[in-house]
Amino acid sequence: MPQWYADLAAALAVHGLVPRGAFHPAPGDGVPGAAGTLVLVGNAGPAMWRAFMAGVGDGANPLDDWSRRVVAATARQFRADALFPFDGPPHLPFQRWAQRAEPVHASPLGILIHPEYGLWHGYRGALAFADRRALPARDDRPAPCAECAAKPCLSACPVAAFARGGYDVAACAGFLASAEGADCMAHSCRARRACPVGRDYAYGDDQAGFHMAAFLRARAAGGSAA
């Protein structure tokens, strides 16, 4: 691992975050400016939640606000530009960048799955460096879903929100807003919990409930949860 990347990883670990891979942007990648190297910054498992709760502030979007503070400060420390998935519209193509940076793949639920973290991860920002830097060794592990014949994620949803080859957002949100949706609201989506990959990284109930509530608020406001 290049020393600059190891130093960045150590700085992010203080905040429960990890560098989620890096790549050299090409003209079609949609990276603003003339960046020579892009590093994804995100979370895997519950470590970020502990750091967030220690420094959470007021506001309508406290996790986005916290992420902005932490990632922007890290960018200044390492002389990079900070980019965020929650800025916009237009929104930056973070999922496309993630697939360029590390071995994440589209899962049957539509969200990206990692061969180690499973579905228990996210992206909080990116660091754009002006120069073209040495990259860590590329991780090309295949999608774990390819070898999962049972695909329990597709049958675990109580309202079959994923049963027809897509995501029925209205059915999901309606269920969560009802008394019957209390289990998913308290412990996270049943379909997500059914996936056997990355269970050691599963979010605790406090974090899961926070994200589920954010999803419902964004749905009510006509947006998307960060």
Side-chain angles (χ1 to χ4, degrees):
M1 178 185 299
Q3 187 60 49
W4 72 270
Y5 194 84
D7 292 342
L8 176 60
L12 290 172
V14 174
H15 307 290
L17 297 171
V18 290
R20 301 290 305 274
F23 65 96
H24 296 139
D29 286 324
V31 178
T37 306
L38 192 77
V39 181
L40 275 291
V41 174
N43 60 287
M48 179 200 71
W49 183 252
R50 294 189 289 268
F52 165 63
M53 290 303 293
V56 65
D58 297 326
N61 299 293
L63 182 55
D64 289 352
D65 294 342
W66 177 87
S67 301
R68 191 182 298 280
R69 291 196 304 271
V70 169
V71 175
T74 305
R76 290 192 295 272
Q77 179 183 351
F78 286 87
R79 298 183 179 180
D81 292 328
L83 305 172
F84 298 98
F86 40 78
D87 282 342
H91 297 286
L92 294 170
F94 265 76
Q95 291 205 350
R96 178 149 49 92
W97 293 351
Q99 290 174 295
R100 292 268 279 121
E102 63 174 345
V104 289
H105 309 268
S107 71
L109 302 184
I111 56 180
L112 295 177
I113 188 168
H114 187 280
E116 180 179 353
Y117 309 141
L119 301 171
W120 306 102
H121 64 97
Y123 300 96
R124 304 312 312 167
L127 301 179
F129 294 86
D131 55 325
R132 190 177 173 90
R133 302 190 169 202
L135 301 180
R138 181 166 178 81
D139 186 346
D140 287 320
R141 281 177 288 178
C145 304
E147 298 181 356
C148 181
K151 292 186 171 43
C153 60
L154 292 180
S155 57
C157 177
V159 291
F162 305 99
R164 289 172 289 279
Y167 175 32
D168 189 337
V169 182
C172 174
F175 177 75
L176 292 176
S178 70
E180 290 78 7
D183 176 72
C184 288
M185 287 295 296
H187 307 298
S188 192
C189 164
R190 288 189 198 176
R192 195 176 196 179
R193 283 185 277 151
C195 177
V197 182
R199 284 181 171 164
D200 288 345
Y201 293 88
Y203 298 159
D205 287 350
D206 287 350
Q207 184 175 4
F210 175 91
H211 289 300
M212 298 302 282
F215 165 73
L216 275 189
R217 286 196 303 273
R219 171 70 180 169
S224 58

